[in-house]
Each structure stands twice: as C-alpha cells, then as structure tokens.
Amino acid sequence: MSGTSQGPAPAADLVRPAVTERHVNASDQSSAESPTTPAAFSVAPLAMAVVDRDGLVVTANGAMGTLLAVGADTLVGRVAAELVDLASDTRTWHAYREVLRGRQARLRCTRRLKQPDGTWLWVQVSVAPLPEEEQAVLLSVADISANRQLQARLRHLQMHDPVTRLPNRTLFFEQLSTALDRDAYDEAGTGRIGLVYLDLDGFKAVNDTLGHNVGDRLLTAVAERLTRCADEAALHRTAGSAAGAPLVARLGGDEFALLVEDSTGTEQLADLADSVLKALQAPFELAGQRLSVSASIGVVERQSASTTATGLMQAADTTLYWAKADGKSRWTLFDPERNAHRMTRQALSSTLRAAVGRGEFVLEYQPLVGMAEGEVRGVEALVRWHHPQFGLLTPNRFISLAEEDGSIVQLGRWILATACRQARRWQIDHPDRPPIFVSVNVAVRQVWDSDLVADVAEILAETGLAPHLLQLELTESALMGSAGRPLQALKALSDMGVRIAIDDFGTGYSNLAYLSRLPVSVLKLDGAFVRGFQYESPQEGGAGDDGQPNPADEIIVEALVQLAHRLGLTVTAEGVETDAQASRLRRLGCDTGQGWLYSRAVSPERIAELLGAAACPQA
C-alpha cells in the first residue's frame, strides 16, 4: 500500500491483517476501528465481510453495515448466510457450504433482502475463498436494485402493447405456457384452461375513414371494456378459488384474447364471451364521434393436460373463423366434431389434384330409362373417390372443394373423357341395339376456367363417340344466370350436336323465360316433386308431408311437362323409387326416369349386363 503505480492490492491482501488477528478479543474486532484493518477495506464502497469456515462474520466494513442498515460492529459473530439469505433454497445453500469447505472456487447469486424499514433490496452476493492459510472467505454484496428496476421497466415495455397498455403477444404466450405447465400438475386447481379470442368486425374501415389516431383510441377504449369484463368475471368466481381475473392481452391489430386459468367449464367461458359481446355492442364516444363496433369471438375450453399452447390457439383461431362465417357479431364455441369435418375437408382439398394423377377416382353409372317402354336410353356418370384414408367418397364430399380450388377443371376433363370412352365401348360391344347416351355433370367453373368447347370436341374425336350421344348437365341456378362466355359455350356445344340438360329443375330461379333463349334440350325434374307421387291416391298413404300426395305437385309437374314438350324439350324425372311414382309420371308424359326403382349407380360391367336385357329390371 505504498502508493506506487503497482495497482490496487488484491482483496486477500486488503483483509489479511484482520484475519491474522482473529483470536483477539471481540471488542478489538470492529472493522472500522481496528488498527489492524487496512484503510482500503474500511472505506471501500463495496460491502464486504470476512467469514470464517464456520460461516461466522469475522469482520465487516462500513459499506456492509450501511447496506444492511445496521452498525458494522454488530455484524461480527453473526451467521453470514442469515444476513444475505443464502439458506433460502437448497441449491444455493449447498454451493455456499462447498465454498466454505474449499471444495468450490466461487459462488455468485442474486438475492432480495428486506430492510428494517420494510423496503426491499435486490443484491448480488459473491463468495470467494481467501488464501488457504487464512481459513476464511470473502463475502461481498453489491446493491443492484437500480439495475433490476431498469430491467423491470424495459421488460414491461417489451411485454406490453404501447397503445392499449395491455400485455402483448409475447407476454400472453409466456403466461399461457406457464399456465398450461402449472394446471397440468397442480392438484389444487381445476386442471382446465379457457380462452376467449376475438377481433373487431370492420375495424379496418375505422382506420381507413377516420385515421389511425381514432383507430388507436378505439383500441384503447375496447381494452378498457375488456379489462372491466375480466374484473367482473373474477368477482363471480366461486368462493375460495385461487384464480384471479382473466389475463387480457392484445395479440396484434384488432385481435384480443382473455385467458382464463383454472376454468370451471364451458359455461363459465360462454358467460364471459357473452359479457364481452354485450360490452362491445354499446357505442363508443371518440373524438366527438359516436362509433359502433361489434366483435367475432371464438371460445375454447378444455383440459390443460390434453392441449398445448399451439393447439389451443389453433382451436381458437378456427372457432373465430366460424363466428365470422356464421355472420359476425357473435361468439362460437369450439366444436370438435365440426373441427374434424373441417380437418377432413382440408385433408381432401390438399390431395385433390394429385389424386387425379394417382388414379384414385372411378365412375359409376345410373341408368336413365324410357318410361314408355322401360328400356335404358342413357346413363348418368357419377364420380367416386377411392381415398386411401377415408374410403369411398361420394361427390357431395369433394366436388364443392374441387370447385373452390379450381381442380374441378382437371377432374371434370377426366370424368368427361372416361365417360365418353366407356359409352363408345358399350356401343361397340352391343352393336345389335341402339346406342345409349352418357350424361356428364359440368360445373360452371369448367366453362369459365377452361375451353370446354375445345375439350369436348377433342374428347369426342379421340373416343369416336357421336356428339348426340353426349349430354352435359348443369344446375338450374348456373344456367339461369349464364351470360357472355358461358352462354356462348353452351350454344357452341349445342350447335355441335351435344345435348344440354338443366339438372334439379324447379329448385332454383325457375325463370321460364330463359328456356326459350338457352340451348337446352332436356329438363331434369328435381326429386322433391317426385316424392309426392309415392302413392296412387291419398287414401293409400294418408294426409301429411314426407312423401304423402300433394295435389299441387301433380299440377306443377303436368304444367312443366307440357311446357317443355311445347318448347321441344324432353323431361327426365329424378328420384323414381316406386311403381306408383313411375305410373303417375308416365301418365303425365315424362319421357325418362332415373332412380332406385330402375337401378342404383353401378359399375360399367353391370351396365353392360343391363344393355343385354330386353328391359331394365327393377331393383
């Protein structure tokens, strides 16, 4: 300590004189007054104390006394671990004991100490051994309260939304993960978790028309109402429940979430969602303007042990989508069965295009029978999907998906080519009887997204099938709205000799004026009309609905048949299941019938057998 430029003395040297005199009387061991204590130790701003191998304070400097708000001399002989809370957890206590015994080089830990005035202090404690001959360790304690406060402020800023002051997405997911881990193993709780997930309907219009400043004020007002809903929900929790108010967070944009830990069931979540919906329906007074908004809400409640944060959010997002699809301004509860159906649709949609190339589709054919003579005049091609996971699927399971993603163009062309090829094969195999036509369903998107006329011409040329032996079916709603390109395509196909049929006639627009302008040659009456013809007379079935006779049905069918014939159209009745229906339809003048009375949809081989018979047998 000569004051030369050799640098500061090591900490061990600073305290060595005090250690060598450790056997003097206790009254002589005051750190600040002992003549053997180096001045540097006494005046050092860092709180320090020398602790013997038994864990007792040998000497302490003034900074240590100031830090602990006691006199430095009163610390001598005290248990050091008690002064800085080193025994509060097993791991730290074990490490501290190892340093005292010389088996570990150093210990550093953070502790929160309560001062005599009741305030709390964050400190960093370091314990390091002195030279072996000293038989002691040096305990140093640094006040890090200011750093901790700064870190806490920075974390708060990082974890909270600057507009609404609510927890943000990061903090929400941190809390969600913690809750799932705790709820899954905490026997004192319910072991369940709930989530109310919402976004505002039409919020973008507020930003676009009134500006982002008003939009931010609206978000802040929404956050306040959601917080009130959460606080009110906490008041209604059962007595003795340890769960607090639901966590309200802004996840981004106009999306908010209320997380309910230890939920008691779907009823609790439904009540919360209902209160949120009602709270947001009340008008907002902002910037001198009265704004009304609504929200779409997805609600999920389930066992914590059977879910993950990702799984819970996916379910909530799906349910929010359902709420919007169902009309907005409502809440919807997660439905596993509905979700399974959605997942199935998604799985089917993702494999549709590849399935055509893999040859997973097949065609079955249902006979179209002449009602006067009972012979097969044609067949309707009906597609089936042999799915490797879901088995045999009928068109109602996948055609709408194909129309949505555009794969109906590829699938439709395959159906058309396969059906025409099969019809030509029947014609070749049965040269002694009149050839039958094949009827193929066509989606409007096939007309818009592909050159249907060119496709039909190419397929007919490739297969050798005559145009009049091909019939294309479009639904009434699609045909009645046809204009421009679709109408031109239909006229070109009709001029080619292909027959055009209106499917399910009588259930759509029923605009009869279109019939005189459309290139249609066949009307297919919807089966709803035919069901009323199940009995020959009202006495056979009695009065009522569900297949019972309806005089109005017969009048409508008779009028439609007469109108169609005057326009030069033929009429096919769908859904014919009984002899009574066939008899009455025959009397009304229907040309052909289709239904289970004649045959279900069957394989091409079965159709070949029917063609060899004089008349189509009844099923």
Side-chain angles (χ1 to χ4, degrees):
M1 305 294 294
S2 62
T4 64
S5 59
Q6 295 177 353
D13 293 336
L14 293 178
V15 298
R16 184 172 299 169
V19 175
T20 56
E21 299 295 331
R22 63 188 295 244
H23 298 296
V24 301
N25 295 331
S27 60
D28 296 330
Q29 291 179 337
S30 170
S31 62
E33 300 175 358
S34 172
T36 59
T37 303
F41 179 85
S42 302
V43 301
L46 178 64
M48 293 185 292
V50 176
V51 180
D52 65 20
R53 297 293 187 184
D54 295 324
L56 302 179
V57 175
V58 175
T59 183
N61 68 358
M64 180 68 80
T66 302
L67 181 72
L68 299 179
V70 295
D73 56 341
T74 65
L75 298 176
V76 177
R78 298 276 299 274
V79 177
E82 293 179 354
L83 298 176
V84 289
D85 193 30
L86 294 181
S88 59
D89 69 86
T90 304
R91 184 174 181 179
T92 301
W93 173 246
H94 175 74
Y96 173 62
R97 298 296 298 172
E98 291 296 285
V99 175
L100 289 180
R101 295 167 183 167
R103 298 174 183 173
Q104 182 172 316
R106 170 181 296 273
L107 167 66
R108 177 173 293 175
C109 62
T110 301
R111 282 294 179 268
R112 188 167 180 249
L113 306 180
K114 187 174 183 179
Q115 295 184 301
D117 62 359
T119 59
W120 290 89
L121 199 66
W122 282 99
V123 297
Q124 186 176 76
V125 179
S126 297
V127 183
L130 293 171
E132 180 64 27
E133 63 270 16
E134 308 295 348
Q135 293 293 298
V137 298
L138 179 65
L139 172 71
S140 59
V141 185
D143 183 357
I144 60 170
S145 299
N147 287 339
R148 294 284 298 199
Q149 291 172 1
L150 177 60
Q151 291 174 4
R153 287 197 296 269
L154 292 176
R155 175 175 168 77
H156 187 275
L157 292 174
Q158 181 184 11
M159 295 294 185
H160 287 75
D161 171 50
V163 175
T164 64
R165 308 300 182 187
L166 291 177
N168 61 15
R169 190 179 191 89
T170 302
L171 181 54
F172 171 81
F173 275 99
E174 182 179 291
Q175 183 65 30
L176 173 58
S177 298
T178 301
L180 288 173
D181 290 340
R182 179 174 60 250
D183 290 351
Y185 302 101
D186 186 2
E187 296 181 359
T190 64
R192 303 187 67 85
I193 195 163
L195 181 62
V196 173
Y197 181 43
L198 67 129
D199 75 5
L200 305 180
D201 301 325
F203 176 73
K204 184 177 184 300
V206 175
N207 268 344
D208 292 345
T209 57
L210 301 178
H212 288 272
N213 183 45
V214 174
D216 287 349
R217 293 180 63 181
L218 176 59
L219 291 174
T220 301
V222 167
E224 292 172 354
R225 293 191 185 182
L226 294 180
T227 302
R228 284 200 298 271
C229 288
D231 292 340
E232 291 171 1
L235 293 176
H236 291 87
R237 294 298 295 263
T238 57
S241 172
L247 173 72
V248 183
R250 181 189 178 199
L251 302 188
D254 60 344
E255 296 179 359
F256 296 85
L258 289 85
L259 179 66
V260 181
E261 299 182 43
D262 283 328
S263 57
T264 57
T266 56
E267 184 176 351
Q268 179 194 3
L269 270 294
D271 289 343
L272 178 58
D274 196 49
S275 68
V276 167
L277 195 62
K278 291 177 180 177
L280 296 182
Q281 286 173 344
F284 292 84
E285 299 288 345
L286 298 173
Q289 301 194 52
R290 190 179 178 88
L291 299 179
S292 295
V293 298
S294 61
S296 297
I297 304 174
V299 179
V300 185
E301 201 278 341
R302 57 177 55 171
Q303 286 282 352
S304 300
S306 61
T307 193
T308 62
T310 301
L312 190 69
M313 290 306 300
Q314 285 178 341
D317 189 61
T318 297
T319 313
L320 174 61
Y321 171 79
W322 293 343
K324 285 190 173 295
D326 292 343
K328 300 182 179 180
S329 189
R330 68 189 64 218
W331 62 266
T332 301
L333 185 66
F334 181 75
D335 180 359
E337 189 172 319
R338 183 175 179 180
N339 186 60
H341 177 68
R342 182 188 71 89
M343 296 298 289
T344 299
R345 281 177 57 88
Q346 189 174 23
L348 293 177
S349 180
S350 64
T351 57
L352 250 173
R353 293 180 183 274
V356 178
R358 290 195 297 263
E360 294 178 5
F361 293 95
V362 296
L363 293 184
E364 292 183 344
Y365 301 88
Q366 188 171 33
L368 298 163
V369 179
M371 304 205 75
E373 74 286 353
E375 291 187 355
V376 178
R377 293 186 181 179
V379 293
E380 180 180 353
L382 300 170
V383 65
R384 306 286 188 260
W385 186 358
H386 279 290
H387 195 279
Q389 179 181 355
F390 302 111
L392 185 65
L393 304 178
T394 53
N396 64 309
R397 295 288 303 276
F398 59 85
I399 288 297
S400 61
L401 296 175
E403 291 177 347
E404 290 174 9
D405 68 8
S407 59
I408 189 65
V409 174
Q410 179 188 12
L411 177 59
R413 196 182 193 285
W414 177 86
I415 294 172
L416 187 64
T418 304
C420 289
R421 191 176 300 110
Q422 183 60 64
R424 177 59 177 158
R425 171 52 56 192
W426 287 323
Q427 182 181 8
I428 294 173
D429 291 345
H430 300 273
D432 298 333
R433 62 152 294 151
I436 63 172
F437 67 88
V438 64
S439 189
V440 178
N441 291 279
V442 175
V444 175
R445 188 158 185 177
Q446 290 177 256
V447 184
W448 281 107
D449 294 359
S450 67
D451 192 342
L452 183 61
V453 178
D455 286 345
V456 170
E458 182 180 349
I459 289 171
L460 291 177
E462 289 177 353
T463 60
L465 186 69
H468 73 277
L469 295 179
L470 174 62
Q471 176 175 290
L472 301 180
E473 296 185 21
L474 287 90
T475 61
E476 178 186 349
S477 58
L479 272 175
M480 292 308 179
S482 294
R485 181 176 176 181
L487 182 57
Q488 295 171 5
L490 295 178
K491 288 182 177 178
L493 291 167
S494 180
D495 292 342
M496 191 188 300
V498 175
R499 300 199 293 184
I500 306 297
I502 300 180
D503 194 16
D504 300 329
F505 187 79
T507 61
Y509 296 102
S510 299
N511 189 337
L512 300 179
Y514 267 82
L515 293 179
S516 62
R517 297 197 293 270
L518 290 172
V520 175
S521 54
V522 180
L523 295 184
K524 296 188 71 175
L525 295 181
D526 187 78
F529 295 110
V530 178
R531 280 194 293 273
F533 295 169
Q534 186 171 358
Y535 303 101
E536 283 287 357
S537 64
Q539 288 74 23
E540 293 183 38
D545 298 325
D546 295 334
Q548 306 306 322
N550 185 347
D553 284 343
E554 184 164 341
I555 295 172
I556 293 172
V557 171
E558 183 177 17
L560 290 176
V561 170
Q562 291 179 2
L563 175 63
H565 286 170
R566 289 192 177 188
L567 292 174
L569 310 178
T570 61
V571 178
T572 297
E574 298 179 299
V576 182
E577 298 181 356
T578 68
D579 287 318
Q581 289 172 324
S583 177
R584 296 181 74 186
L585 290 167
R586 190 181 303 112
R587 287 200 303 268
L588 293 175
C590 281
D591 302 287
T592 55
Q594 178 181 359
W596 289 0
L597 173 66
Y598 308 109
S599 175
R600 298 172 182 261
V602 294
S603 65
E605 293 75 20
R606 178 56 180 157
I607 295 295
E609 295 175 7
L610 296 177
L611 294 179
C616 183
Q618 295 183 3

